Amino acid sequence: MSFRKKSSTLREALRTIERICALTDPDEKNPAISDIYMIAHSHIGDCGNPHNDWKEEADKLAEDLKDI
């Protein structure tokens, strides 16, 4: 699989995760679902906002969870 095809496939997976989170937790009351949404949405790159603060938070979460 080419890098471009893999990138497109991963982006579509993130969009699906984003949608599942939005449907599952529309009031953003579940911190875990909100974190998953934040990670997926900020890395899709479609909305025009670079979400640098969310990406930094996602990096921190990844660091905190790396040994689990």
Side-chain angles (χ1 to χ4, degrees):
M1 180 181 293
S2 72
F3 176 77
R4 180 165 285 146
K5 176 67 175 163
K6 190 177 289 188
S7 177
S8 174
T9 301
L10 290 173
R11 190 174 306 256
E12 190 55 38
L14 288 173
R15 282 188 193 103
T16 301
I17 291 167
E18 177 188 44
R19 290 178 192 127
I20 290 169
C21 290
L23 290 171
T24 303
D25 188 33
D27 299 327
E28 300 177 22
K29 292 183 178 180
N30 183 318
I33 299 294
S34 292
D35 285 345
I36 294 166
Y37 176 89
M38 173 192 65
I39 293 165
H41 179 82
S42 65
H43 286 84
I44 293 170
D46 286 347
C47 76
N49 181 337
H51 291 294
N52 293 325
D53 54 335
W54 283 11
K55 289 176 184 172
E56 286 179 27
E57 191 165 341
D59 289 345
K60 183 182 180 314
L61 280 169
E63 181 65 27
D64 292 346
L65 297 170
K66 73 177 182 180
D67 294 327
I68 293 177

